[in-house]
Each structure stands twice: as structure tokens, then as C-alpha cells.
Amino acid sequence: MPDSFGSGIVIPLVKDKCGDMSSVDNYRPITLSPVISKIFESVLVLKYVMFINVNDRQFGFRKKLGCSNAIFMLRNVIEYFNERGSNIYLASPDASKAFDRVNHFQLYQTLMRQRASSIS
């Protein structure tokens, strides 16, 4: 892969125009990637889509599915167990800033070690 495929221009978008414009938390970064890398990615997806396994319970990054589908499914599951008298415990961690704090080098090394141990 050319190094330029991994580069992009980061643009900060304001989340709340009435909010504190000097707060970093009021901005959401988006990355503008090179068009050629997006075309290459689309060609790869079209060519290898039959090898990509996606869990039926995944709602993100799938055509015609999103948050509303996930919320609908969650509500149905809660109603199902409520009607049967079961206790329901739900955890909703806020991972909005988690990826800013990940040590990507250490994560990569850990993944490579696990891959090497699974191969041998």
C-alpha cells in the first residue's frame, strides 16, 4: 500500500454551535481521505465481500441498519424478559474517548503475539 493511502486531512466540526466554542469536547474530528484510497477500498470490498463474515447482531457499518434497529432490538429483548418476570441488568459504558487513550503500538504488539501463538 502506498503511504499516502493512510494519510488524510483532519477537520474539526463543531458539535453544538451554541456551546462553548473554546472547548475541545465541542468538536468532532473527521478525516478527509485521498479519493484514490476510497476507490481502492471499494474495489476490494466488491471483490472480497463473499469472504467477509458479519454477525447478524451487528448494526453499525451495514446497509440499511443503524442505531434505530439496535434500539428496537434492545427494547424487544427487554420486553421479552420483563414479560417473563426476569431481572434485567444493563451496562452502557461510555467509550466516546476510549480510542484517544489507546496505546496503539502496544495494542498492535499484543495482537501480533496472539496471532503468532494461534498459528503455532
Side-chain angles (χ1 to χ4, degrees):
M1 294 287 172
D3 288 338
S4 64
F5 277 23
S7 66
I9 299 170
V10 179
I11 309 273
L13 291 181
V14 177
K15 291 180 185 177
D16 179 10
K17 292 182 181 176
C18 297
D20 182 5
M21 300 296 269
S22 64
S23 172
V24 174
D25 292 331
N26 195 27
Y27 290 88
R28 178 175 59 91
I30 63 162
T31 303
L32 302 177
S33 302
V35 173
I36 189 71
S37 68
K38 291 295 194 181
I39 293 170
F40 182 72
E41 177 183 317
S42 297
V43 169
L44 285 179
V45 167
L46 288 173
K47 184 171 175 79
Y48 295 107
V49 70
M50 72 282 288
F51 299 109
I52 299 172
N53 296 324
V54 179
N55 190 300
D56 288 336
R57 290 181 291 253
Q58 177 178 335
F59 296 97
F61 307 105
R62 293 183 62 192
K63 285 185 180 181
K64 300 179 182 178
L65 291 177
C67 272
S68 57
N69 301 96
I71 291 168
F72 176 77
M73 175 79 77
L74 177 63
R75 288 189 63 145
N76 282 341
V77 169
I78 290 171
E79 287 174 15
Y80 175 87
F81 284 102
N82 267 340
E83 290 169 359
R84 287 156 180 77
S86 293
N87 293 329
I88 299 169
Y89 303 97
L90 179 70
S92 179
D94 180 7
S96 62
K97 298 195 186 307
F99 295 105
D100 294 340
R101 293 182 172 88
V102 170
N103 181 336
H104 291 93
F105 180 73
Q106 184 177 0
L107 176 62
Y108 179 74
Q109 284 184 322
T110 303
L111 290 171
M112 293 306 293
R113 278 195 301 273
Q114 285 183 347
R115 183 172 184 267
S117 67
S118 69
I119 291 173
S120 51

